[in-house]
Amino acid sequence: MSVEPSQGAQPAIENLMDERRVFPPAAEFTANANAQSSIYDEAERDYVAFWERIARDRVSWDTPFETTLEWDLPFAKWFTGGRLNITYNCVDRHVEAGLGSKVAYHWIGEPGDTRTITYADLQREVSKAANALLEVGVTTGDRVAIYMPMIPELPIAMLACARIGAPHTVVFGGFSAEALAGRINDCGARVLITADGGWRRGNRVNLKHHADEAVASTPTIQKVIVVDRLGQGAHMVPRRDVWWHDIVDRQSEHCPPVPVDSEHMLYLLYTSGTTAKPKGILHTTAGYLVGTSFTHEAIFDLKPDDVYWCAADIGWVTGHSYIVYGPLANAATGVIYEGAPDTPTWDRWWQIIEEFKVSILYCAPTAIRAFMKHGPQFPAAHDLSSLRVLGSVGEPINPEAWLWYHEHIGRGTAPIVDTWWQTETGMILITPLPGVTTTKPGSATFPFPGIEADIVDGDGQSVPFGGGGYLVLKRPWPAMLRGIYGDPERYRETYWSRFPGMYFAGDGAKRDEEGYFWLLGRVDDVMNVAGHRISTTEVESALVDHRSVAESAVVGVKDEVSGQAIYAFVILKTGQDPADALAVQLREHVAYVIGPIARPKYLMFVPDLPKTRSGKIMRRLLRDIAEGRTLGDTTTLADATVVETIRENTGKAEE
Ligand code: WTA
């Protein structure tokens, strides 16, 4: 849901009014919880000393750090003077500690094939893959692009990069060739690691031909390493392309981890902003490791015997932080599932949980709402008694979905941690602690220890409890982004200029009388579709890219399952026929240019768009129209008749 906090009552606020149930932690859970309330006090006394203690406790350093924080607003450096290798921390030290035979990942392919990867396997495979990268000439500091399905070689490839200090940039496998090429060109990656394809909803999804199309316009790529997932062969370009099994399998199993500076770039992850050009969010090594591993252990209450399943795609930040780096640093046993939740039937997840005795599940509200829609009989048919902690991430979880999750998945006992964070924050920042916090359905509750979050009005003044406004962060934190790749000015401008001295997250939020945070969605022109951030501008550019389109405006509208759905208004060039077939074509065009996640659910041809006198499209009005609300203030409209014409047409929108 997209809201302008200044406009008062919005759905999430009404929910707050209705939702008065509270869920205190069970005494037994509290007694055994990893995180106790004392860590809030410790962090409040001195947040820098707090993170220093955690960094010294948790990280295996090659050279211990000297300074905990150098804060030259908005540029932070954490744990300077230190040197470490993150894969040593995520893999080797566990093997040295005798955990070589512990399972790192239970992997389940969509067709039902499985693989079990222990920490010793991971050490061997990561070393071999790292040696393969060295063989093709990758050195410390070189960027490597990764475009893969959810197969074990994906985390292995990421760790192989990190082992030799080569920053990776993972591009979600659902993105188009064009999106992949744009990201590769922005960071100048030398090598691309991909696969022939993967399985999704019973179909083979070919990735290699997208990769080929992308690489045709990426002059920096010298080598393409291709994992054979589908076993059906692929077109291989001589000298440029090499099969993973041909180059990796013959490598030595030993590859010493390269120690890097605490602030060495670990990865770039591209995310949508309010302009068409995606931003390369830059994360570095030590602070990210400290932030992700500590939050993972504290918030999910991870114990040595837990089986932890984060059902996100590794191509998003949730997968980076809470499938790969955080859990591995904690020697967790994880589950990775390649495919869709409804394949072959809607009980696939519950069957996996029963079979692998999953004890911690972390997923997105959009998934929960989809399960809700198909009914509780699917989870009810399975033994879910192993589950003891549930997590939610990616968008506001509405109280109904929270309560359904609690009742039908958590059997009324497993605590729910609703975790708010972003690609930029790297780690969870607002969340309950499962043994400490009394939860309220729909609220992400309180800032994590050491984090200072606030809600401010348009002038940057803190809003008293009971009020709503803009969510800001007032202190640096270890896993925070260090910048936007190649564009320090855009970093400053995007995150630190709206309210001087504060990081503005782009979200609206409200605090209730007890200080609980309630997230209200994006306040900028970024939509949140099934937990994925997509900028309205990017979709608009993709539409205008089509030869029939003159202009377009895109808004996110409320959607029962995906949170928001994309609604596109399109003005055609003169002489073009607004036929249904063209609408279908345009929606496919967006899927082609950006990826299927950005395909508009609704598309409407309009003769004109509501604009202010200065020519700015009034998205708020378009949203009101799309969601069938009474219109707000239209006095700033240049031409008030436009809205009426559009409104008369809404019934005819293409779905
Ligand atoms: C939204 C995903 C409400 C929010 C980790 C944020 C949430 C954006 C929550 C970041 C939550 C994420 N409650 N909203 N628990 N978690 N969001 O970068 O709008 O893909 O700004 O990172 O998702 O999305 P991103």
Side-chain angles (χ1 to χ4, degrees), residues 366-635:
T366 184
I368 299 163
R369 288 190 297 264
F371 292 129
M372 243 172 107
K373 190 170 156 185
H374 291 89
Q377 69 278 15
F378 291 104
H382 293 274
D383 176 8
L384 304 182
S385 60
S386 54
L387 285 173
R388 55 175 211 94
V389 179
L390 303 176
S392 169
V393 60
E395 40 174 328
I397 179 166
N398 40 314
E400 305 83 83
W402 195 105
L403 290 164
W404 192 91
Y405 198 26
H406 173 74
E407 182 181 339
H408 295 286
I409 310 304
R411 303 165 332 282
T413 54
I416 296 180
V417 287
D418 172 6
T419 63
W420 177 89
W421 58 297
Q422 306 180 295
T423 305
E424 292 86 343
T425 71
M427 61 190 256
I428 296 168
L429 295 189
I430 302 181
T431 177
L433 290 178
V436 177
T437 315
T438 293
T439 53
K440 299 183 182 181
S443 167
T445 72
F446 302 106
F448 189 77
I451 304 304
E452 188 182 348
D454 197 2
I455 294 173
V456 298
D457 62 20
D459 299 324
Q461 296 302 313
S462 188
V463 171
F465 286 5
Y470 301 95
L471 179 65
V472 296
L473 301 163
K474 292 181 154 175
R475 278 178 197 158
W477 61 99
M480 68 189 277
L481 78 166
R482 300 303 196 260
I484 295 175
Y485 187 70
D487 202 344
E489 217 18 71
R490 190 175 176 200
Y491 166 66
R492 196 191 288 276
E493 170 64 31
T494 307
Y495 302 106
W496 300 91
S497 68
R498 177 73 181 80
F499 304 105
M502 302 176 216
Y503 171 93
F504 172 47
D507 283 359
K510 178 184 163 77
R511 246 176 327 203
D512 66 20
E513 304 296 345
E514 294 176 304
Y516 280 69
F517 283 73
W518 298 75
L519 277 303
L520 301 177
R522 307 286 307 173
V523 299
D524 53 20
D525 292 336
V526 177
M527 301 171 288
N528 189 329
V529 181
H532 301 142
R533 276 159 69 182
I534 300 169
S535 94
T536 51
T537 323
E538 266 178 290
V539 178
E540 286 162 4
S541 310
L543 285 164
V544 176
D545 176 69
H546 191 277
R547 58 189 153 66
S548 323
V549 176
E551 197 179 347
S552 84
V554 165
V555 295
V557 295
K558 236 207 261 166
D559 187 85
E560 195 195 322
V561 174
S562 60
Q564 281 194 306
I566 302 179
Y567 200 128
F569 297 86
V570 171
I571 304 179
L572 291 175
K573 288 185 183 153
T574 359
Q576 297 294 327
D577 176 23
D580 290 354
L582 181 59
V584 173
Q585 220 187 78
L586 292 179
R587 292 163 63 227
E588 286 317 308
H589 186 70
V590 176
Y592 173 76
V593 175
I594 305 175
I597 41 164
R599 182 192 287 116
K601 182 166 181 184
Y602 310 96
L603 189 144
M604 189 166 114
F605 295 114
V606 290
D608 206 347
L609 288 166
K611 290 186 186 157
T612 61
R613 271 153 246 188
S614 63
K616 203 170 178 311
I617 292 172
M618 295 182 69
R619 282 171 215 287
R620 180 176 53 79
L621 282 184
L622 288 174
R623 265 197 309 267
D624 288 346
I625 294 171
E627 292 180 345
R629 268 193 302 274
T630 47
L631 294 188
D633 186 10
T634 55
T635 48

Side-chain angles (χ1 to χ4, degrees), residues 238-402:
R239 286 181 299 281
R240 190 197 73 185
D241 297 357
V242 57
W243 287 107
W244 173 285
H245 54 263
D246 284 338
I247 190 165
V248 173
D249 288 1
R250 60 177 167 75
Q251 301 292 333
S252 154
E253 295 177 2
H254 302 282
C255 177
V258 174
V260 297
D261 278 345
S262 290
E263 283 296 336
H264 184 75
M265 191 193 335
L266 175 63
Y267 70 79
L268 293 170
L269 189 59
Y270 285 83
T271 190
S272 292
T274 49
T275 71
K277 189 174 179 303
K279 301 173 287 202
I281 302 301
L282 195 162
H283 283 290
T284 58
T285 305
Y288 182 77
L289 173 63
V290 169
T292 56
S293 69
F294 182 60
T295 48
H296 180 255
E297 192 181 275
I299 296 164
F300 298 106
D301 193 48
L302 183 84
K303 300 286 199 282
D305 292 336
D306 273 315
V307 178
Y308 162 84
W309 183 14
C310 168
D313 193 289
I314 292 177
W316 308 110
V317 75
T318 305
H320 283 58
S321 298
Y322 296 107
I323 297 178
V324 183
Y325 292 108
L328 292 179
N330 295 332
T333 292
V335 166
I336 298 179
Y337 168 55
E338 177 187 30
D342 61 347
T343 308
T345 55
W346 273 104
D347 68 349
R348 186 69 191 265
W349 280 27
W350 320 124
Q351 176 242 317
I352 291 172
I353 289 171
E354 180 171 12
E355 183 178 340
F356 291 90
K357 303 210 170 2
V358 172
S359 52
I360 304 169
L361 175 67
Y362 190 31
C363 66
T366 184
I368 299 163
R369 288 190 297 264
F371 292 129
M372 243 172 107
K373 190 170 156 185
H374 291 89
Q377 69 278 15
F378 291 104
H382 293 274
D383 176 8
L384 304 182
S385 60
S386 54
L387 285 173
R388 55 175 211 94
V389 179
L390 303 176
S392 169
V393 60
E395 40 174 328
I397 179 166
N398 40 314
E400 305 83 83
W402 195 105

Side-chain angles (χ1 to χ4, degrees), residues 50-61 65 68 79 290:
F50 170 72
W51 290 118
E52 172 176 1
R53 173 184 70 76
I54 290 163
R56 297 217 189 271
D57 284 356
R58 309 185 69 80
V59 175
S60 303
W61 298 93
F65 61 92
T68 302
F79 313 120
V290 169

